[in-house]
């Protein structure tokens, strides 16, 4: 940049958002939601038992009810998975990580009563997914993938923030001829987490 030398230029603190400014431009798209991620390493036999049980619950059904919709236990009467013996280790792991997550956010775990209200399987065939939805009765929601390697090739969690990212002016991202291009990952109305 060619800046006049006689002016007092004040630059933003490079540590303000916890990231040191580097030569290459780095863009973060924060929004008021903390997302915790952990890679669990279950015993392969536990994973096999959970997969077999989820497939047994699904039975001969293939979808929910649209062909592109994955089968979900919550609308098929299977919503107490956390009480099933095949999922015992996963329930214990989720409980431990929920406590750790809340502690890292600053909550005193002795002042909060944690309870798993509902837990259900989703069986998704290639090309199927779960549509946009929300859990209005949940303070925390967890997702665990029984298969995949965490790369996103087997699926991702897609979050829709309440406000369009990087819109600058409310309403700029909608309507005919809007100036935000849909191809930039920083302008999409969702965030994918693998």
């Amino acid at each position: 940049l060619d800046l006049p030398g006689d002016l007092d230029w004040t630059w933003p603190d490079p540590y303000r958002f916890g990231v040191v400014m580097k030569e290459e431009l780095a863009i973060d798209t924060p929004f008021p939601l903390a997302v915790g991620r952990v890679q669990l390493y279950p015993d392969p036999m536990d994973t096999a038992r959970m997969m077999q049980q989820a497939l047994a619950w699904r039975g001969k059904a293939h979808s929910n009810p649209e062909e592109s919709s994955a089968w979900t236990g919550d609308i098929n009467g299977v919503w107490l998975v956390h009480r099933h013996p095949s999922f015992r280790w996963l329930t214990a792991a989720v409980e431990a990580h929920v406590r750790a997550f809340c502690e890292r956010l600053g909550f005193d775990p002795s002042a909060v009563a944690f309870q798993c209200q509902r837990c259900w399987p989703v069986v998704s065939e290639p090309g199927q997914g779960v549509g946009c939805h929300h859990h209005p009765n949940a303070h925390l929601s967890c997702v665990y993938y029984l298969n995949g390697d965490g790369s996103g090739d087997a699926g991702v969690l897609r979050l829709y923030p309440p406000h369009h990212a990087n819109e600058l002016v409310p309403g700029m991202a909608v309507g005919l001829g809007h100036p935000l291009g849909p191809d930039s990952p920083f302008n999409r109305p969702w965030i994918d987490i693998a």
Side-chain angles (χ1 to χ4, degrees), residues 119-152:
C119 179
W120 61 89
V122 173
V123 180
S124 181
E125 299 293 337
Q128 290 183 329
V130 177
C132 183
H133 66 282
H134 66 288
H135 303 156
N137 59 337
H139 297 290
L140 286 173
S141 293
C142 301
V143 176
Y144 178 74
Y145 294 92
L146 288 173
N147 60 0
D149 58 6
S151 68

Side-chain angles (χ1 to χ4, degrees), residues 27-31 165-166 185-186 191:
I27 298 175
D28 296 318
T29 55
F31 57 96
N166 304 311
F186 301 108
I191 296 169

Side-chain angles (χ1 to χ4, degrees), residues 6-193:
D6 58 335
L7 295 176
D8 179 23
W9 292 92
T10 304
W11 294 98
D13 179 2
Y15 298 96
R16 183 170 176 208
F17 296 108
V19 178
V20 177
M21 291 173 63
K22 298 183 178 178
E23 301 245 339
E24 291 185 34
L25 175 65
I27 298 175
D28 296 318
T29 55
F31 57 96
L33 173 69
V35 176
R37 291 186 288 164
V38 63
Q39 177 69 49
L40 299 179
Y41 297 95
D43 181 299
M45 291 304 292
D46 286 327
T47 300
R49 278 190 286 274
M50 289 188 295
M51 290 181 85
Q52 286 177 341
Q53 185 59 56
L55 291 171
W57 280 323
R58 180 183 74 168
K60 295 184 186 225
H62 179 71
S63 58
N64 246 10
E66 301 291 326
E67 197 60 32
S68 63
S69 297
W71 180 89
T72 60
D74 61 328
I75 65 173
N76 286 287
V78 182
W79 48 274
L80 296 174
V81 169
H82 56 290
R83 295 184 181 171
H84 193 278
S86 296
F87 291 82
R88 190 171 290 135
W89 84 267
L90 178 59
T91 301
V94 168
E95 287 175 1
H97 287 293
V98 163
R99 286 184 180 283
F101 176 76
C102 289
E103 284 181 36
R104 298 258 319 262
L105 290 180
F107 288 93
D108 175 3
S110 67
V112 180
F114 297 99
Q115 142 180 310
C116 184
Q117 189 177 35
R118 293 175 55 178
C119 179
W120 61 89
V122 173
V123 180
S124 181
E125 299 293 337
Q128 290 183 329
V130 177
C132 183
H133 66 282
H134 66 288
H135 303 156
N137 59 337
H139 297 290
L140 286 173
S141 293
C142 301
V143 176
Y144 178 74
Y145 294 92
L146 288 173
N147 60 0
D149 58 6
S151 68
D153 291 338
V156 297
L157 174 62
R158 179 165 284 176
L159 300 175
Y160 292 86
H163 303 289
H164 199 316
N166 304 311
E167 193 173 35
L168 303 181
V169 176
M172 188 180 234
V174 297
L176 183 61
H178 62 81
L180 283 175
D183 297 331
S184 170
F186 301 108
N187 296 336
R188 292 187 186 126
W190 65 79
I191 296 169
D192 286 344
I193 298 177

